[in-house]
Amino acid sequence: MGHTKAGGLSAANMLPFGETAIMVEFGKGIDPVFHSRVKALSQYLDNHAFAGMVEYVAAFASVTVFYDPVSITGDMVIARLQAILAKLEHEETSEARVVEIPVCYGGEFGPDLDFVAQHNGLTTDEVVEIHTGGRYLVYMLGFAPGFPYLGGMSERIAAPRRQSPRPAIPAGTVGIAGMQTGMYPITTPGGWQLIGRTAVALFRPADNPPTLLKSGDIIRFKAITPEEYHTLKGADK
């Protein structure tokens, strides 16, 4: 049971995912175009869940829709999803939200900033300038509550993961691993190269939703001083 339709948003493969789910696959890999389609379908399902749908899971280039096989069949789910995609072809998606994240780079907040600079033949100031000069698309959240998988980092500051992961990385820490940058929302082990830290809480369990960021957001990093970090940290308690 596999279906393909050509053109625009509807250029998606409808594939069975076990016996109770259909994967809507827009493409392969990390790509802003595929993600825009993931976002459009996810937003629609948030507001217009259809009878028999249980939940959906969004990824970099796909949306997997889980359904109740007692009340609806896989073919019926595919037909419903194809109709939704055809409808979305003619609708504009909402403009992306831009979120500014203040980061204190280097020192105790970013102990691996020197390594990232040396690895790329740059100064630490140049690494910070490049990192804060980018616009980063939040493709999805995962790994830990509120952890954003970001696209858009310059290859000029790419760096390999650490050979030995740290047992505890403080919440708010900003890191680099390969061609990706990201932020740790909670204290957790990790092997990324740590370049800075933000005082902004990414995981907020008392809020609804409990995460600051969401898929489709655009992140801009802003360099701040240690004094500004501590001021923001106190204000965010």
Side-chain angles (χ1 to χ4, degrees):
M1 184 169 57
H3 301 249
T4 303
K5 293 187 72 176
L9 191 76
S10 297
N13 287 326
M14 303 282 182
L15 305 170
F17 193 80
E19 297 181 351
T20 60
I22 299 296
M23 177 184 288
V24 184
E25 186 180 68
F26 295 104
K28 301 288 187 181
I30 303 174
D31 184 283
V33 173
F34 299 153
H35 178 265
S36 69
R37 296 170 182 175
V38 168
K39 180 183 176 183
L41 178 56
S42 298
Q43 287 180 331
Y44 186 90
L45 295 176
D46 281 338
N47 298 316
H48 307 284
F50 54 85
M53 173 180 153
V54 176
E55 63 176 339
Y56 74 85
V57 177
F60 282 114
S62 66
V63 177
T64 300
V65 178
F66 292 83
Y67 61 90
D68 176 9
V70 174
S71 59
I72 194 170
T73 68
D75 283 331
M76 292 168 66
V77 172
I78 286 176
R80 181 64 58 87
L81 290 170
Q82 287 177 335
I84 291 171
L85 293 179
K87 173 181 174 62
L88 292 175
E89 288 281 10
H90 305 287
E91 297 181 358
E92 294 184 3
T93 58
S94 59
E95 186 176 348
R97 180 179 67 149
V98 178
V99 181
E100 183 177 85
I101 303 293
V103 177
C104 186
Y105 289 90
E108 63 176 302
F109 302 108
D112 300 324
L113 180 61
D114 288 338
F115 170 80
V116 173
Q118 293 170 7
H119 178 77
N120 290 286
L122 301 169
T123 66
T124 54
D125 286 344
E126 287 173 330
V127 172
V128 173
E129 182 180 359
I130 293 169
H131 193 258
T132 56
R135 288 172 58 90
Y136 302 91
L137 173 63
V138 179
Y139 279 93
M140 63 180 183
L141 304 179
F143 165 63
F147 184 95
Y149 285 86
L150 307 179
M153 192 186 79
S154 170
E155 63 181 7
R156 296 173 60 199
I157 54 174
R161 291 174 180 266
R162 288 172 53 87
Q163 292 184 350
S164 300
R166 290 181 171 92
I169 294 174
T173 299
V174 179
I176 288 175
M179 281 290 297
Q180 283 195 299
T181 187
M183 296 174 284
Y184 288 85
I186 60 175
T187 300
T188 181
W192 290 37
Q193 304 291 346
L194 311 182
I195 63 171
R197 194 183 308 164
T198 181
V200 175
L202 302 174
F203 178 52
R204 307 177 180 206
D207 295 348
N208 183 24
T211 58
L212 172 65
L213 303 172
K214 61 183 180 181
S215 175
D217 285 345
I218 299 294
I219 290 180
R220 296 295 301 267
F221 293 107
K222 175 186 176 182
I224 61 173
T225 66
E227 292 76 19
E228 290 173 314
Y229 172 89
H230 290 299
T231 298
L232 290 171
K233 188 69 174 177
D236 203 39
K237 289 183 179 179

